[in-house]
C-alpha cells in the first residue's frame, strides 16, 4: 500500500529519496513526504498529491546540501487508511521533541488504545503511525535499538517502518511484521525500501527481512535482530537480476501499455526456460517430491483481483487435464469461512506482489492444516515466496502499472505448465493431448505479437465507445473469467462501470440492463460452447445492444456489430490470447478519457492491509 525508502551514504540524499519514491509511487499516491538530517536537525517536508507535487514544493533548505552529514534520510508515499489524505497525515511523522522521525507501512490495530495511554504527547495527525514515533520517544533511554524493541512489543497489527533520529545520526533503524521491507546493499551506502525497484539503480544485492526482524543500518554495516530470538540474525543476500531499465517506461506512454507489450517476451521466457523437448522442468523451485504430487486429489486456489481471475481460468484447465476437483476462492472470503480441508489437497496461492495481506493470511491458515502450499508469484523474495513450501516465479520483471496485465498472462502460463507437469506425473492426460497443449502454448507468444502488431481497430472501438457509462462482458466456460478480467480492467483504469458475467446467467438478471446504449463485449472464439454463446448473442442483440465480439476467422453472425479477429488456438489456451485485446480496449478508452492509467484513483498496487 504505502511505499517507504531510506538511504544512508554519500549521494545527494534528496535525489536518491525522490527518485526512489517515484519508483514506489504505484504503491500509494495520495500524499508523500521526506525527512533528512541537516546539521543534526531533522528537516521534513510533506505534501498532498503526487510525488512530483511534493518535489516541486520542496523548500530551499532541502536544496544545495553540502555538509557531509547530509546523506541520511527517509521518505514515504501514502495510500490513506487511517486519516484522510492531508499534509498532517502524510509521513514522515515526528515526535514531540523533534528528535525522532518515522515512515511506516501497515496498520497498527491497537493504536487507539496506545494513544490513550500517551496522554502527555501531542498528536498532530489522525494516523495510526504517529503512535509509533511517540512510543519510541517515550521508550528512549539512551539506546535507540532498545527503544525500538520495547516499542515493537506493544504494537499489534502490521508494520514496516524506518526511523531516523538525531541521537544516532549515522544510522537508520527499522522493523517489519507482515509488511515488506528490504535492505539494498552497496559499497559504503545502504538503502532500505518496500520494494527492490526503488533500489535497482544502485544495487542488485538485497536482504529480504523476515517477519519480526528489527535492527539498524549504517553506510557500512547492518545488524538484524528478531523479536523471537536473542542473537544477531544472519540473513541471506539475494541477487535480483532485474535491471533499473526494466522499471522505466522505455518510450511507452504508460507502464501499463509497456507491460501489455511485454507479454510475448514474458511468455516466451517462461516456456523456453522450463520446456525442454517434451519435458517440463521446474528445477529446484518446485520442492515437492513426485510421490506427494501423485497423491494430490484436490486443488485449492486462492488469490485476489486479477490473480483470483487467473485462478478461475486454471480451475477449468486443471479439471480438464487433471480430472481432479479444483476449488477457487477469494482470499478475503476464504480466510474467514472456516474451510473444510482434506488431506491430499494442494493449496495454490496466486499473487503478483506476494504481499497481499488476505492471500498471506489464507496461506498461514492452510499451513496450520499442514497441507502442501505452492506460491505463484512475481516479486522475488516476497513474503509469499518465503512462506509457501514451494514457489513458481512467473518471471515477468517488475509490474509497475497498477492494473495487472503481464502478471495475469504470466500466472496463466506458469500454472498451465505446472498443470501439464502434474498431468504427466499423474498420467491423467494422454500423451497426444499433452503434446497438443504444449504445442499450442509454444505458439502463444507469436499469436500475441500478432494481436499487438495492429491495434488500430481497438483504438477505433475505443473512440466509438469511450463515452458510454456501462459495459457488459460476457463469456462461457474457460473464458468466463476472462470476461471478469476484461470488465475489471475497464472499471479500474477508466472508471466506467463494467460487469463481467457468465453468458448463460445473463438472462437471470443483467439482461434487464441491456438497451441500445449498452456495449456488450462477448467472447465468441471457437470452442465447444460457441453455439451456446451465439444464442446469448442473439438475446443481447434483440435488445438493441451494440455487440463487440472477440472471435476467429470463419465465425459468422449477423448479430455481431464489431468483430475483433484473433488467431485461432486450442480452447483451453484461448484465455491467454483473449485477454490481450480486452486489456488494450480498456487502456485506449482510459487514455481517451485522460485517466491516470498507471495510478488509478483509490487503488494501490500492493494491498498489504486487510
Ligand atoms: C487488478 C489488480 C488487482 C490485483 C490484486 C491482487 O488489475 O492488479 O486486482 O490483482 O490486488 O494483487 P496480487 O496479485 O499482488 O496479490
Amino acid at each position: 500500500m504505502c511505499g517507504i525508502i531510506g538511504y544512508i551514504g554519500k549521494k545527494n540524499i534528496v535525489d536518491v529519496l525522490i527518485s526512489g519514491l517515484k519508483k514506489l509511487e504505484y504503491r500509494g499516491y495520495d500524499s508523500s513526504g521526506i525527512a533528512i538530517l541537516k546539521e543534526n536537525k531533522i528537516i521534513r517536508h510533506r505534501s498532498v498529491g503526487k510525488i512530483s507535487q511534493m518535489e516541486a514544493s520542496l523548500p530551499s533548505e532541502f536544496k544545495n546540501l553540502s555538509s557531509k552529514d547530509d546523506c541520511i534520510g527517509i521518505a514515504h508515499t501514502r495510500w490513506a487508511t487511517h486519516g484522510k489524505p492531508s499534509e498532517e497525515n502524510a509521513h514522515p511523522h515526528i515526535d514531540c521533541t523533534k528528535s525522532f522521525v518515522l515512515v511506516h507501512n501497515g496498520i497498527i490495530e491497537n493504536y487507539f488504545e496506545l494513544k490513550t495511554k500517551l496522554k502527555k504527547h501531542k498528536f498532530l495527525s489522525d494516523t495510526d503511525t504517529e503512535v509509533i514515533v511517540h512510543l519510541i520517544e517515550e521508550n528512549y533511554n539512551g539506546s535507540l535499538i532498545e527503544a525500538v524493541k520495547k516499542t515493537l512489543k506493544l504494537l499489534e497489527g502490521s508494520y514496516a517502518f524506518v526511523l531516523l533520529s538525531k541521537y544516532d545520526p549515522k544510522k537508520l533503524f527499522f522493523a517489519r511484521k507482515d509488511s515488506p521491507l528490504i535492505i539494498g546493499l552497496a559499497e559504503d551506502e545502504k538503502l532500505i525500501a518496500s520494494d527492490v525497484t526503488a533500489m535497482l539503480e544502485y544495487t542488485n544485492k538485497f536482504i529480504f527481512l523476515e517477519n519480526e526482524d528489527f535492527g539498524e543500518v549504517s553506510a557500512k554495516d547492518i545488524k538484524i535482530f528478531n523479536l523471537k530470538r536473542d542473537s544477531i540474525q544472519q540473513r541471506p543476500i539475494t541477487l535480483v537480476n532485474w535491471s533499473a531499465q526494466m522499471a522505466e517506461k522505455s518510450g511507452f506512454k504508460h507502464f501499463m501499455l509497456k507491460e501489455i507489450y511485454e507479454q510475448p517476451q514474458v511468455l516466451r521466457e517462461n516456456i523456453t526456460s522450463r520446456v525442454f523437448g517434451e519435458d517440463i522442468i521446474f528445477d529446484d523451485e518446485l520442492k515437492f517430491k513426485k510421490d506427494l504430487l501423485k497423491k494430490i486429489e484436490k486443488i485449492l486456489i486462492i488469490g485476489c483481483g486479477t490473480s483470483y481471475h487467473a485462478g478461475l481460468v486454471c480451475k477449468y484447465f486443471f479439471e480438464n487435464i487433471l480430472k481432479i476437483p479444483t476449488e477457487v476462492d477469494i482470499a478475503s472470503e476464504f480466510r474467514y469461512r472456516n474451510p473444510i480441508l482434506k488431506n491430499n489437497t494442494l493449496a495454490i496461492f496466486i499473487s503478483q506482489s506476494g504481499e497481499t495481506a488476505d492471500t498471506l493470511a489464507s496461506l498461514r491458515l492452510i499451513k496450520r492444516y499442514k497441507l502442501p502450499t505452492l506460491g505463484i508469484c512475481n516479486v522475488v523474495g516476497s513474503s509469499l515466496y518465503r512462506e509457501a513450501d514451494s514457489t513458481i516465479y512467473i518471471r515477468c520483471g517488475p509490474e509497475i502499472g497498477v492494473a495487472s496485465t503481464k502478471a495475469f498472462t504470466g500466472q496463466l502460463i506458469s500454472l498451465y505448465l505446472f498443470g501439464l507437469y502434474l498431468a504427466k506425473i499423474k498420467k491423467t492426460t494422454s500423451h497426444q493431448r499433452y503434446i497438443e497443449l504444449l504445442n499450442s502454448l509454444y505458439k502463444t507468444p507469436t499469436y500475441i505479437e500478432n494481436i499487438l502488431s495492429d491495434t488500430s481497430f481497438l483504438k477505433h472501438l475505443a473512440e466509438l465507445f469511450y463515452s458510454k457509462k456501462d459495459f457488459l462482458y460476457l463469456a462461457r466456460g474457460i473464458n468466463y473469467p476472462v470476461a471478469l478480467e476484461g470488465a475489471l480492467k475497464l472499471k479500474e483504469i477508466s472508471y466506467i462501470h463494467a460487469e463481467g458475467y457468465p453468458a448463460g446467467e445473463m438472462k437471470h438478471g443483467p439482461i434487464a440492463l441491456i438497451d441500445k446504449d449498452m456495449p456488450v463485449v462477448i467472447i465468441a472464439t471457437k470452442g465447444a460452447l460457441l453455439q451456446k454463446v451465439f444464442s446469448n448473442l442473439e438475446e443481447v442483440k434483440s435488445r438493441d445492444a451494440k455487440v463487440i465480439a472477440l472471435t476467429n476467422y470463419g465465425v459468422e453472425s449477423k448479430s455481431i456489430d464489431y468483430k475483433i479477429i484473433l488467431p485461432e488456438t486450442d480452447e483451453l489456451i484461448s484465455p491467454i490470447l483473449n485477454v490481450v485485446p480486452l486489456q488494450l480496449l480498456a487502456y485506449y478508452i482510459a487514455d481517451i478519457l485522460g485517466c491516470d492509467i498507471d495510478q488509478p484513483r483509490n487503488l494501490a498496487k500492493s494491498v498489504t492491509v486487510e
Side-chain angles (χ1 to χ4, degrees):
M1 316 268 354
C2 306
I4 289 176
I5 178 152
Y7 174 79
I8 175 157
K10 294 218 164 16
K11 298 202 167 71
N12 180 303
I13 184 68
V14 176
D15 290 351
V16 176
L17 293 180
I18 298 277
S19 90
L21 270 193
K22 285 182 179 165
K23 305 263 166 41
L24 294 171
E25 194 163 28
Y26 71 89
R27 297 177 68 89
Y29 32 85
D30 57 42
S31 51
S32 58
I34 173 171
I36 62 173
L37 273 187
K38 190 169 185 181
E39 287 146 26
N40 212 31
K41 220 177 111 213
I42 293 170
I43 58 168
R44 173 178 66 152
H45 176 64
R46 298 174 297 170
S47 155
V48 175
K50 297 271 183 174
I51 289 154
S52 52
Q53 283 165 260
M54 193 268 284
E55 184 184 15
S57 59
L58 271 175
S60 56
E61 56 185 342
F62 282 85
K63 295 168 190 158
N64 309 321
L65 301 169
S66 55
S67 147
K68 61 181 177 344
D69 293 330
D70 292 332
C71 52
I72 183 161
I74 55 179
H76 186 272
T77 178
R78 180 167 187 251
W79 187 88
T81 55
H82 291 62
K84 63 180 169 46
S86 67
E87 194 178 316
E88 297 73 45
N89 290 335
H91 301 216
H93 289 286
I94 204 158
D95 74 304
C96 305
T97 65
K98 303 206 175 352
S99 309
F100 309 94
V101 66
L102 173 133
V103 287
H104 163 232
N105 172 24
I107 291 185
I108 304 304
E109 285 163 4
N110 60 338
Y111 87 101
F112 194 70
E113 190 190 317
L114 293 168
K115 197 169 169 176
T116 48
K117 288 188 189 148
L118 290 163
K119 287 207 180 66
K120 285 191 313 211
H121 294 255
K122 193 161 182 235
F123 280 79
L124 300 170
S125 77
D126 305 319
T127 65
D128 52 330
T129 299
E130 204 185 342
V131 85
I132 313 177
V133 77
H134 289 290
L135 281 172
I136 302 261
E137 175 192 354
E138 188 74 20
N139 291 327
Y140 179 68
N141 207 354
S143 160
L144 264 161
I145 199 75
E146 281 307 316
V148 168
K149 188 175 176 186
K150 228 167 148 184
T151 300
L152 294 180
K153 291 191 172 158
L154 302 170
L155 302 181
E156 284 168 23
S158 58
Y159 51 78
F161 70 69
V162 184
L163 171 83
L164 169 64
S165 169
K166 63 180 194 180
Y167 293 131
D168 213 337
K170 302 248 181 259
K171 285 179 189 160
L172 292 171
F173 293 81
F174 58 83
R176 77 146 277 182
K177 181 174 165 251
D178 295 342
S179 290
L181 199 59
I182 301 148
I183 299 176
L185 312 171
E187 217 177 302
D188 294 337
E189 59 181 348
K190 302 285 174 287
L191 297 112
I192 182 158
S194 312
D195 187 340
V196 297
T197 48
M199 304 183 272
L200 286 172
E201 212 175 316
Y202 314 100
T203 183
N204 282 85
K205 284 190 213 154
F206 301 100
I207 292 178
F208 292 86
L209 294 167
E210 304 268 330
N211 249 353
E212 306 201 59
D213 276 356
F214 66 100
E216 54 183 58
V217 55
S218 65
K220 288 187 189 293
D221 197 22
I222 301 163
K223 277 197 190 116
I224 303 172
F225 306 90
N226 190 280
L227 276 183
K228 294 220 174 85
R229 294 169 208 108
D230 285 335
S231 54
I232 289 193
Q233 303 295 301
Q234 299 303 324
R235 298 278 174 250
I237 296 174
T238 305
L239 275 178
V240 175
N241 63 355
W242 290 358
S243 67
Q245 289 71 25
M246 284 167 120
E248 304 290 340
K249 283 190 205 145
S250 317
F252 284 90
K253 188 170 177 190
H254 295 97
F255 278 111
M256 181 178 175
L257 190 60
K258 174 183 173 233
E259 288 157 9
I260 291 172
Y261 272 83
E262 280 171 350
Q263 292 178 110
Q265 173 202 330
V266 163
L267 302 195
R268 209 166 263 135
E269 153 74 14
N270 269 277
I271 296 169
T272 53
S273 61
R274 290 183 176 129
V275 182
F276 300 92
E278 293 182 359
D279 292 322
I280 299 169
I281 297 176
F282 281 103
D283 287 335
D284 31 332
E285 55 190 340
L286 208 57
K287 300 193 178 83
F288 304 120
K289 298 237 158 54
K290 286 198 174 159
D291 276 352
L292 182 143
L293 293 175
K294 264 186 205 157
K295 286 190 201 138
I296 297 298
E297 287 166 1
K298 184 176 170 181
I299 293 180
L300 178 60
I301 307 182
I302 293 168
C304 301
T306 290
S307 297
Y308 166 69
H309 294 159
L312 284 177
V313 173
C314 287
K315 172 185 167 67
Y316 289 85
F317 186 72
F318 286 175
E319 291 192 339
N320 189 297
I321 64 161
L322 294 170
K323 323 276 188 280
I324 56 176
T326 303
E327 221 177 275
V328 191
D329 245 299
I330 292 176
S332 54
E333 287 298 313
F334 178 82
R335 63 183 291 194
Y336 293 117
R337 74 167 170 82
N338 299 322
I340 297 163
L341 298 166
K342 297 218 167 114
N343 285 343
N344 299 334
T345 299
L346 171 69
I348 302 181
F349 300 84
I350 311 180
S351 174
Q352 185 285 131
S353 62
E355 300 294 347
T356 300
D358 287 317
T359 308
L360 292 175
S362 305
L363 166 69
R364 289 169 196 146
L365 177 90
I366 293 270
K367 288 192 80 168
R368 291 210 291 275
Y369 289 82
K370 306 235 175 321
L371 296 178
T373 55
L374 172 66
I376 303 293
C377 183
N378 190 34
V379 176
V380 179
S382 64
S383 301
L384 178 57
Y385 166 78
R386 277 177 290 113
E387 294 184 38
D389 297 332
S390 266
T391 296
I392 296 178
Y393 280 126
I394 61 172
R395 302 182 182 177
C396 289
E399 190 180 66
I400 314 271
V402 163
S404 192
T405 52
K406 62 176 177 174
F408 179 74
T409 43
Q411 288 162 347
L412 290 185
I413 199 96
S414 306
L415 278 160
Y416 273 38
L417 289 174
F418 173 70
L420 286 170
Y421 171 83
L422 203 54
K424 199 168 179 192
I425 292 177
K426 289 172 76 65
K427 300 193 175 52
T428 49
T429 294
S430 70
H431 183 67
Q432 190 195 343
R433 185 68 182 129
Y434 170 90
I435 297 294
E436 263 171 30
L437 287 168
L438 211 51
N439 280 338
S440 298
L441 276 183
Y442 251 111
K443 291 180 193 150
T444 49
T446 311
Y447 286 158
I448 296 180
E449 270 160 2
N450 205 312
I451 297 169
L452 296 173
S453 66
D454 182 3
T455 60
S456 52
F457 187 58
L458 290 163
K459 285 183 189 146
H460 171 63
L461 289 177
E463 292 283 352
L464 292 177
F465 291 107
Y466 74 92
S467 59
K468 297 292 177 192
K469 297 279 173 275
D470 306 278
F471 273 68
L472 191 59
Y473 286 69
L474 299 175
R476 279 178 176 258
I478 196 163
N479 277 298
Y480 152 56
V482 179
L484 296 181
E485 179 59 10
L488 179 66
K489 288 290 89 90
L490 186 67
K491 66 185 128 188
E492 66 184 332
I493 60 167
S494 72
Y495 318 139
I496 294 173
H497 169 240
E499 284 201 49
Y501 236 78
E505 182 68 7
M506 177 196 53
K507 54 176 130 356
H508 299 285
I511 198 163
L513 295 169
I514 298 177
D515 62 13
K516 63 176 182 16
D517 291 320
M518 166 80 91
V520 176
V521 180
I522 190 158
I523 302 180
T525 45
K526 288 184 184 168
L529 296 173
L530 185 59
Q531 287 313 316
K532 303 276 175 204
V533 172
F534 273 161
S535 312
N536 303 127
L537 215 154
E538 296 305 323
E539 290 158 4
V540 167
K541 194 63 207 162
S542 52
R543 269 108 197 146
D544 292 332
K546 285 278 171 284
V547 176
I548 303 165
L550 261 61
T551 189
N552 308 114
Y553 275 114
V555 175
E556 298 302 336
S557 164
K558 287 205 183 79
S559 301
I560 301 176
D561 296 297
Y562 304 96
K563 270 189 185 175
I564 301 168
I565 304 283
L566 298 177
E568 201 176 319
T569 185
D570 193 290
E571 186 181 7
L572 286 183
I573 310 295
S574 64
I576 309 180
L577 301 188
N578 289 347
V579 73
V580 177
L582 300 187
Q583 296 167 341
L584 284 166
L585 184 62
Y587 173 82
Y588 290 130
I589 289 178
D591 194 34
I592 295 171
L593 291 171
C595 296
D596 192 348
I597 292 181
D598 284 332
Q599 293 164 357
R601 69 182 178 208
N602 305 336
L603 290 175
K605 182 79 184 156
S606 179
V607 184
T608 54
V609 294
E610 200 180 332

